[in-house]
Amino acid sequence: MAVWGNRAGAFSAPAERGEVLVERGLDHVVHVVRDLEAAGELYDMLGFTVGSRNRHPWGTDNRIVQMPGFFVELLEIAEPDRIPPHSETSFSFGAFNRDFLAEVGPGLSMLVLEGRDPAGDKVEFDAAGFGGLDLFDFEREGKRLDGVNVKVAFSLAFARDPASPHAGFFTCHQLYPENFWSPDLQRHMNGADGVVGVVFTAADPAAHTGFLSAFAGSEARRAVDGWQIVKTPRGDIDVMSDALFAQRFGVAAPAGPGLRLAAVRFAVGDMDRLRRRISSSRMSVEDIEGVVVVGPKSALGATLVFEAAP
C-alpha cells in the first residue's frame, strides 16, 4: 500500500482554464461502525453483497457495498495509533471518523460526491469559502470476489460546512475505476440496483443550502417549508427538518448541530422480493407509504430506506 499524501499546489480556476463546471453526482457514503464484521453481517442479512475487508494505511479498515456508480463504505477504526491528526490545511479521514464514533456513535458520517477534476473541485470549494484544505492522494490494495488482488487509487478534494461538525464532505476521483467497480459486487439478493438519494437533517435546512449547492455544483430547491432538495446527476440530496424526517420515515432524526447525514435511499427493482428478504431476517422495519425503512436502532445508527426504482 502507498500513500501519496496531501498536496496544496497552485491551481487556476476552472473558468480561467476554459472548463465548464459539471454537477457532481453521489459517489458513496461512509457508515462508521465499531465492529466491521458485525456491520457486514447486518448488510448481508438485509440481502446485500458485501465485499472483503480492505485496509487503509492510516488505521481504518473498510468493506464495500456496491451499486452501479455508488457504494456504502462500512468503516472501522482498526488501528487508532496509526491515525494522523488534522492540521490547519490537512483533513484526516481517520481522525474525523474516530471522533465521530466517540462523540455520536455509529452512523453515517460522510457524504462523498464523484470527482472528475480534483484540482478544479478544490478551487471551487476554496472560492466559495468552504475549502482551504489540501488535496489528498492515496492508493491501496483491493480484493475482488474471486480473491484476485488489484490496485485502486483515489484523489480527494475536501469541503467543510463550519456549522456541521458531525458531517464530512469530499469528492473522490478514481484513478483505476476498472479495478474498483465489480458487476459481481453489484448483484444483491434484495434486488437493490441503485441509489435514489441521501437525506440530511437539520434544524434549519435552508441555512445549509449555500454550502450544499457549492458542494454539489447544483442549486437547492425548496420542496416545502423545512425541506430542501439538491438534484445531482446520480441521486438527490434532501435536507429535512427533524419533524419532517420523523413523519416521512417513522424514525427519529439523529441529534446534533448543523447537518447530520441521516439516511440512504436505495432503488429496488422488486419490492415484494425485498420484503421477503427482510422479513426472513426478522429485523424490525417500517413499511410507510410504499417504502421500507430499517431504522437506526437496527442499522447501527443509520436509516436505510428501500423504495421502488423509478
Side-chain angles (χ1 to χ4, degrees):
M1 284 183 248
V3 180
W4 307 335
N6 295 293
R7 53 187 172 96
F11 305 108
S12 60
E16 294 171 357
R17 300 198 301 262
E19 297 175 9
V20 176
L21 298 181
V22 178
E23 296 175 335
R24 305 175 184 94
L26 304 187
D27 185 82
H28 71 277
V29 296
V30 177
H31 185 175
V32 64
V33 298
R34 293 192 172 92
D35 185 335
L36 189 58
E37 296 312 308
E41 290 175 6
L42 165 71
Y43 277 77
D44 179 71
M45 283 194 301
L46 290 172
F48 288 106
T49 299
V50 185
S52 303
R53 179 183 285 259
N54 304 296
R55 176 146 295 182
H56 293 133
W58 53 77
T60 58
D61 288 2
N62 73 13
R63 297 182 69 183
I64 301 299
V65 179
Q66 279 193 22
M67 272 137 279
F70 176 83
F71 64 98
V72 177
E73 179 178 9
L74 303 176
L75 188 81
E76 175 186 86
I77 308 302
E79 300 175 279
D81 293 343
R82 298 188 65 185
I83 294 176
H86 295 292
S87 74
E88 185 175 347
T89 62
S90 171
F91 182 92
S92 171
F93 175 90
F96 178 86
N97 283 285
R98 176 201 62 203
D99 295 346
F100 182 100
L101 194 60
E103 294 167 10
V104 303
L108 299 170
S109 60
M110 309 186 83
L111 172 65
V112 186
L113 301 185
E114 182 179 23
R116 295 181 179 88
D117 175 12
D121 291 344
K122 173 179 167 50
V123 167
E124 285 190 47
F125 300 156
D126 290 353
F130 300 119
L133 298 167
D134 297 340
L135 296 177
F136 186 76
D137 301 323
F138 78 98
E139 64 180 42
R140 65 168 173 81
E141 188 176 83
K143 183 172 288 188
R144 300 196 314 228
L145 280 181
D146 60 9
V148 174
N149 292 327
V150 294
K151 182 168 76 171
V152 293
F154 312 87
S155 184
L156 314 181
F158 294 94
R160 51 185 168 188
D161 177 359
S164 303
H166 295 140
F169 303 90
F170 60 93
T171 63
C172 178
H173 173 65
Q174 298 212 26
L175 279 71
Y176 304 105
E178 69 279 5
N179 290 342
F180 182 85
W181 298 109
S182 166
D184 291 335
L185 285 173
Q186 295 168 18
R187 299 187 183 101
H188 304 288
M189 293 296 294
N190 60 17
D193 57 12
V195 63
V196 178
V198 298
V199 185
F200 284 93
T201 55
D204 181 8
H208 302 277
T209 56
F211 168 77
L212 288 172
S213 294
F215 181 50
S218 179
E219 287 298 318
R221 306 292 183 185
R222 174 184 170 276
V224 297
D225 286 343
W227 184 357
Q228 299 280 333
I229 302 174
V230 179
K231 297 280 185 181
T232 87
R234 183 183 299 110
D236 295 345
I237 303 172
D238 289 57
V239 190
M240 306 177 79
S241 68
D242 293 355
L244 280 179
F245 180 85
Q247 178 183 336
R248 177 68 187 97
F249 299 113
V251 295
L259 291 168
R260 286 293 312 274
L261 184 52
V264 185
R265 300 165 59 204
F266 298 102
V268 178
D270 185 338
M271 290 296 290
D272 290 335
R273 174 183 173 186
L274 169 85
R275 290 184 175 93
R276 288 193 298 271
R277 176 69 191 198
I278 293 185
S279 176
S280 70
S281 73
R282 301 184 182 276
M283 295 185 67
S284 175
V285 301
E286 298 281 345
D287 204 323
I288 305 173
E289 297 183 7
V291 303
V292 174
V293 180
V294 182
K297 290 183 179 179
S298 297
L300 301 174
T303 297
L304 307 179
V305 180
F306 301 88
E307 49 195 271

